[in-house]
Amino acid sequence: MSDADAPDVLVLRTGTHGMPVEEYAAAIRERIPELTVELARTPAAEREKIANAPFVTGMTVDEDMVAAADALEVFACAYAGTGHLPLETFEERGVAVTNASGVHGPNIGEHVLGAILHFTRRFHVAERQQRRREWRHYQAHELQGSTVTVVGLGAIGQSVCERLDPFGVETIGVRYTPEKGGPTDEVIGFEGEAFDDALARTDYLVLACPLTETTRGLLDHEAFVTMNPDAVLVNIARGPVVDTDALVAALRSNWIRGASLDVTDPEPLPEDHPLWTFENVQITPHNAGHTPEYYERLADIVAENARRFADDPDAELENQVLP
């Protein structure tokens, strides 16, 4: 394929959440009819077409593919996280990298709210009794007046806070730069007495942060001992933000009321793992990110960036994480 035949946007073949990647390519094509958008549907097509493609989008790409991408200038990652990409290679090559930040806001915000209400009204108790055909009243909780701490105030954390606003809760936000403020009643950093104090008075702890050196193992044995025993953990971040052994010990010792886990460490969770056996643990298979609007929202970002790049290869791109 010559440079003249190269598409303006090349879409790689891997889809997500069982949705055909053709839908993603079509959504981009609808938004930028003036540009050529091509889907590489087979491994051979990917290897051939990426050689001359300046703007490529997909869920992932490996070192071998990048090595073959002689003309690559922009890689538009179709996930919000980019830790799985060969970022060092991209940086060495001067390739701009963007992500899908903001795409997940509504659906993950709703997932978190659902998990909180699940434990507030103790629906898991009702489900257990229903399976037994047992009509017996049980005590529940009330969300109003609770304290909810949201760790990470990016697009997802902000979406969670927006959806909590009508429920009359006190909110604490945790971010790297607390001086920037945020959509919560308080904003604190990740370390020190303020963070420990937040753990001690939190009723619902929502993890919505990226996995970094700071956040890896953030919830360890000491954190669970410090937490309010009536607290519920909701993790839609990454599994290793929580020390799994410490979580199991906390659940066994009643140091926390329960946990809703969309991510685990390890992941997938092995069939014989003890976390499956706790009645006060809700497990979803990394599913909070699913939404039927995923490709539409992602295409809004990617198509706009492709248009900017076509007009000016040095233009600043939305959601640019490199360089």
Side-chain angles (χ1 to χ4, degrees):
M1 178 187 290
S2 68
D3 290 353
D5 297 327
D8 295 306
V9 178
L10 176 65
V11 181
L12 301 182
R13 65 192 167 95
T14 303
T16 189
H17 293 298
M19 298 183 293
V21 71
E22 284 83 358
E23 294 179 6
Y24 178 39
I28 298 174
R29 201 173 286 120
E30 286 174 5
R31 287 158 174 78
I32 45 174
E34 71 277 15
L35 301 179
T36 57
V37 178
E38 193 167 343
L39 171 62
R41 200 60 189 85
T42 66
E46 284 184 335
R47 287 192 298 271
E48 175 191 353
K49 296 176 185 299
I50 202 170
N52 298 300
F55 191 109
V56 176
T57 182
M59 306 294 159
T60 187
V61 64
D62 60 28
E63 293 275 4
D64 291 341
M65 287 277 285
V66 176
D70 296 331
L72 184 62
E73 295 188 54
V74 177
F75 182 77
C77 182
Y79 289 136
T82 57
H84 63 291
L85 299 177
L87 295 178
E88 290 185 7
T89 302
F90 281 139
E91 193 166 16
E92 291 169 3
R93 291 267 307 269
V95 174
V97 177
T98 64
N99 68 10
S101 178
V103 169
H104 289 302
N107 49 289
I108 295 186
E110 291 172 5
H111 182 101
V112 169
L113 191 58
I116 289 174
L117 291 173
H118 176 91
F119 279 94
T120 299
R121 301 309 301 171
R122 299 184 73 200
F123 290 138
H124 55 296
V125 176
E127 289 166 1
R128 186 168 66 247
Q129 292 184 182
Q130 181 177 345
R131 286 195 299 271
R132 298 171 179 171
R133 301 182 185 184
E134 180 182 355
W135 183 278
R136 182 163 58 90
H137 287 280
Y138 59 90
Q139 294 183 330
H141 302 268
E142 190 171 290
L143 184 55
Q144 181 171 284
S146 299
T147 297
V148 182
T149 294
V150 180
V151 181
L153 293 179
I156 291 172
Q158 291 178 39
S159 180
V160 170
C161 293
E162 289 171 8
R163 283 156 180 77
L164 285 169
D165 189 57
F167 286 87
V169 298
E170 292 293 317
T171 53
I172 303 170
V174 183
R175 69 187 312 173
Y176 290 106
T177 52
E179 62 274 8
K180 289 184 178 179
T184 50
D185 297 310
E186 301 175 44
V187 182
I188 62 173
F190 278 92
E191 299 172 350
E193 190 173 333
F195 183 73
D196 290 339
D197 178 66
L199 292 179
R201 57 193 174 97
T202 291
D203 298 295
Y204 298 92
L205 179 63
V206 179
L207 301 180
C209 54
L211 180 62
T212 65
E213 290 183 9
T214 299
T215 62
R216 183 180 293 275
L218 181 69
L219 287 197
D220 56 11
H221 174 84
E222 290 301 316
F224 283 115
V225 172
T226 303
M227 283 176 68
N228 174 2
D230 204 35
V232 171
L233 168 66
V234 180
N235 189 7
I236 50 85
R238 289 291 182 267
V241 175
V242 178
D243 181 322
T244 302
D245 290 342
L247 172 59
V248 170
L251 290 163
R252 284 176 171 160
S253 302
N254 286 321
W255 290 341
I256 60 173
R257 176 153 56 97
S260 176
L261 309 174
D262 190 56
V263 290
T264 58
D265 182 25
E267 188 175 305
L269 196 64
E271 292 182 9
D272 60 352
H273 200 281
L275 281 173
W276 288 113
T277 66
F278 291 101
E279 292 183 341
N280 59 340
V281 173
Q282 179 188 47
I283 296 173
T284 50
H286 208 139
N287 210 61
H290 176 261
T291 167
E293 302 301 317
Y294 190 95
Y295 287 149
E296 294 295 322
R297 293 188 193 131
L298 179 59
D300 285 340
I301 298 169
V302 173
E304 174 59 26
N305 281 339
R307 185 181 291 112
R308 291 183 193 179
F309 177 76
D311 291 341
D312 178 6
D314 296 320
E316 183 176 345
L317 304 177
E318 185 178 352
N319 285 1
Q320 188 166 337
V321 295
L322 271 183

